[in-house]
Amino acid sequence: MPEQDSTTSRPEPLSGKHIGSFAYVTIKDRLPGILTKVLDQFSRLASDYHNNGKPEHAEDAKAIVGKLSKMKNEIQTNKPISKLEDNYTDVSVWNDFIQNMSCLVEGKDDLQKGWFDVAWLSCECYLYRRILSALNQSSLHQDFDPFLNQKETAFNTSITAMKTLAQYVLAFLQNMEDTDEKLRMDFDTLLEYCLWGNKCDLSISAGVQVYKQLKESDQLKTLSEHIISNHTEKLYHYICKEKPLARVDFILDNAGFELYTDLCLAEFLLEKKMCKQIRFHVKDIPWFVSDTSRKDFLWTIQQCTQSEEEPIRLLGQKWQKRLDDGTFLIVNKPYWTYGQDFAEMRKIDPDLYQYLSESGLLIFKGDLNYRKLLGDRNWPTTTSFDNSLYGFCPAPLVTLRTLKCDMVVGLCEGKAEELQAITDQWMINAEYAVVQFCQKL
């Protein structure tokens, strides 16, 4: 499909210019809240350094606090978005992006564009890049991940869930006589776990047993009914027709239990000869709090290999062997932490677009990847998934996403109205989800 003109054919991006919108509330409340947690962390670090006789470390942490406090004030007062002043490898790409950000407020000069005046996706990505900028300009904290503790806690509080899911995975690994029906059931179960990873984790922590979620028909029926656009049948048909795929690429979302479910699905695809290799795309920098980095990925495998729970340990050892023999491969690509959406990839990073085109299947995980696939635009909910990709389809792709922001496509006529009558929070409460597949454009 020829590259499309993004200035004429797509709806306007979601933004904070509309007071009361979900984007507005996010920029007004949630982004400063995220910064406050990082500020508190570095303030405590500075105090600890001082008390332990490390004055240089303390001053370095205080300098980071100063930079982040300045950014927090800029958000709250809608100051103009400024260019980056660090020397990280992507700074020129980012500064070009910042310069070209459009002001969406009529009559306001582009040079004065503030946080509430530009695309929500742009300013939210910019927040995390500015956090990195503060770290990069420091002397002693350049490799510091301010979200590491949250990600490790997400893993450590999910052990019970992980153990039960590991038992399920080990059971099908030992079953050498799969029927077509059993293969499909296992595929659907693991795909839904990848889809509902975060939600299932929250349910488990509240006392709901994973085994029941895996096996009880009522639970599975409820989850399935909440998939409001479901292309699982088309996806499975494609995989079975083309197997073994030379490789499958996961564009990862969250660390913790969600990453663990991704690894379980990857194991299934390899063990059942549906593909020959899995490539996991991680984030280069601390990103959207919980996104998976290379360090997070390796730490997760290590924790699994050392787990006191035998089923988790057995899977961890198997996954470490896959890393060693290359059937699992970790991939770092800087585009995943740029501000651009995916429709711009062919222009901004043609090498990555070509790299992805060599895959048998791209699995895009989570809300942010969905937003970038669709350009975070105000699409009518009945717009087809294929059309909303806006020319981006380097290889067959599927998106697994629970709804956490007010944008979704691919719904049947009347579905949005039906859900709105149930709750006006249906687009943002993570109670509903989509599995949407595009083989080609």
Side-chain angles (χ1 to χ4, degrees), residues 394-428:
L397 64 86
V398 63
T399 178
L400 309 179
R401 179 241 185 173
T402 54
L403 276 61
K404 297 176 184 177
C405 82
D406 51 351
M407 179 198 64
V408 67
V409 299
L411 303 190
C412 299
E413 289 283 352
K415 187 65 177 178
E417 292 76 13
E418 173 191 329
L419 295 169
Q420 185 71 18
I422 297 171
T423 171
D424 61 2
Q425 302 292 302
W426 68 275
M427 281 196 185
I428 60 176

Side-chain angles (χ1 to χ4, degrees), residues 153-155 157-159 161-162 193 196-208 210 213 255-258:
T153 298
F155 178 93
T157 56
S158 302
I159 299 302
M162 291 163 54
Y193 251 72
W196 297 105
N198 284 337
K199 180 176 175 56
C200 287
D201 195 14
L202 291 171
S203 297
I204 292 153
S205 67
V208 178
V210 183
Q213 291 188 341
F257 184 68
E258 183 174 347

Side-chain angles (χ1 to χ4, degrees), residues 247 249 281 331-336 338 342 345-346 348-358 392 394:
R247 83 177 209 235
D249 291 58
H281 292 253
V331 180
N332 293 72
K333 298 292 183 181
Y335 194 91
W336 306 126
Y338 288 173
F342 296 157
M345 183 187 294
R346 192 158 31 185
I348 303 297
D349 193 344
D351 290 342
L352 175 58
Y353 194 92
Q354 177 60 36
Y355 182 88
L356 296 177
S357 73
E358 297 163 5
F392 177 80

Side-chain angles (χ1 to χ4, degrees), residues 24-41:
Y24 173 86
V25 172
T26 299
I27 299 167
K28 176 179 174 289
D29 297 330
R30 189 164 64 86
L31 299 192
I34 290 167
L35 271 181
T36 297
K37 290 182 180 179
V38 179
L39 281 164
D40 290 347
Q41 184 178 12

Side-chain angles (χ1 to χ4, degrees), residues 44-103:
R44 290 193 300 270
L45 273 176
S47 179
D48 291 344
Y49 289 143
H50 177 77
N51 293 336
N52 289 302
K54 295 182 176 180
E56 290 184 7
H57 286 73
E59 289 304 312
D60 202 53
K62 288 179 183 177
I64 293 171
V65 169
K67 288 182 171 64
L68 297 182
S69 295
K70 180 176 182 290
M71 176 166 55
K72 182 178 176 181
N73 177 260
E74 290 172 6
I75 297 173
Q76 293 173 323
T77 56
N78 201 30
K79 290 289 192 299
I81 291 177
S82 58
K83 288 192 175 183
L84 303 172
E85 298 176 351
D86 58 75
N87 60 5
Y88 196 69
T89 54
D90 66 355
V91 69
S92 62
V93 174
W94 259 101
N95 280 338
D96 285 345
F97 175 71
I98 292 165
Q99 182 173 331
N100 292 323
M101 279 186 194
S102 296
C103 181

Side-chain angles (χ1 to χ4, degrees), residues 9-271:
S9 303
R10 292 199 284 185
E12 183 174 274
L14 301 175
S15 74
K17 72 175 185 178
H18 300 293
I19 295 176
S21 67
F22 187 66
Y24 173 86
V25 172
T26 299
I27 299 167
K28 176 179 174 289
D29 297 330
R30 189 164 64 86
L31 299 192
I34 290 167
L35 271 181
T36 297
K37 290 182 180 179
V38 179
L39 281 164
D40 290 347
Q41 184 178 12
F42 276 102
S43 295
R44 290 193 300 270
L45 273 176
S47 179
D48 291 344
Y49 289 143
H50 177 77
N51 293 336
N52 289 302
K54 295 182 176 180
E56 290 184 7
H57 286 73
E59 289 304 312
D60 202 53
K62 288 179 183 177
I64 293 171
V65 169
K67 288 182 171 64
L68 297 182
S69 295
K70 180 176 182 290
M71 176 166 55
K72 182 178 176 181
N73 177 260
E74 290 172 6
I75 297 173
Q76 293 173 323
T77 56
N78 201 30
K79 290 289 192 299
I81 291 177
S82 58
K83 288 192 175 183
L84 303 172
E85 298 176 351
D86 58 75
N87 60 5
Y88 196 69
T89 54
D90 66 355
V91 69
S92 62
V93 174
W94 259 101
N95 280 338
D96 285 345
F97 175 71
I98 292 165
Q99 182 173 331
N100 292 323
M101 279 186 194
S102 296
C103 181
L104 301 175
V105 176
E106 189 174 348
K108 191 168 184 177
D109 192 291
D110 267 2
L111 295 177
Q112 297 301 312
K113 61 198 175 197
W115 292 72
F116 292 86
D117 307 328
V118 300
W120 169 30
L121 179 64
S122 298
C123 75
E124 195 167 12
C125 291
Y126 174 72
L127 171 94
Y128 292 95
R129 185 55 182 81
R130 273 282 294 275
I131 293 174
L132 176 74
S133 186
L135 299 173
N136 183 259
Q137 293 176 79
S138 71
S139 301
L140 302 169
H141 296 88
Q142 291 190 353
D143 297 324
F144 190 89
D145 183 349
F147 309 120
L148 182 62
N149 288 341
Q150 294 177 65
K151 290 184 280 190
E152 292 186 353
T153 298
F155 178 93
N156 290 325
T157 56
S158 302
I159 299 302
T160 301
M162 291 163 54
K163 177 183 176 182
T164 306
L165 190 54
Q167 291 169 332
Y168 181 87
V169 173
L170 290 170
F172 75 61
L173 292 181
Q174 294 163 6
N175 181 5
M176 304 307 293
E177 298 181 2
D178 287 314
T179 62
D180 290 344
E181 183 180 2
K182 179 68 165 58
L183 268 177
R184 178 61 193 270
M185 186 191 78
D186 288 339
F187 176 82
D188 287 357
T189 298
L190 291 171
L191 190 77
E192 286 201 14
Y193 251 72
C194 280
L195 173 64
W196 297 105
N198 284 337
K199 180 176 175 56
C200 287
D201 195 14
L202 291 171
S203 297
I204 292 153
S205 67
V208 178
Q209 293 297 313
V210 183
Y211 187 78
K212 292 182 178 180
Q213 291 188 341
L214 286 170
K215 290 294 187 182
E216 287 189 2
S217 59
D218 287 348
Q219 180 71 25
L220 287 176
K221 184 171 183 287
T222 299
L223 288 174
S224 296
E225 286 174 352
H226 281 229
I227 303 175
I228 56 177
S229 174
N230 193 349
H231 298 172
T232 301
E233 182 70 36
K234 290 195 291 185
L235 171 65
Y236 189 71
H237 176 77
Y238 164 75
I239 293 173
C240 289
K241 181 180 177 183
E242 302 294 331
K243 68 179 182 182
L245 301 170
R247 83 177 209 235
V248 170
D249 291 58
F250 280 72
I251 295 79
L252 295 174
D253 187 29
N254 294 328
F257 184 68
E258 183 174 347
L259 172 60
Y260 183 83
T261 65
D262 297 337
L263 289 163
C264 289
L265 177 60
E267 182 60 42
F268 173 83
L269 294 173
L270 287 167
E271 185 69 25

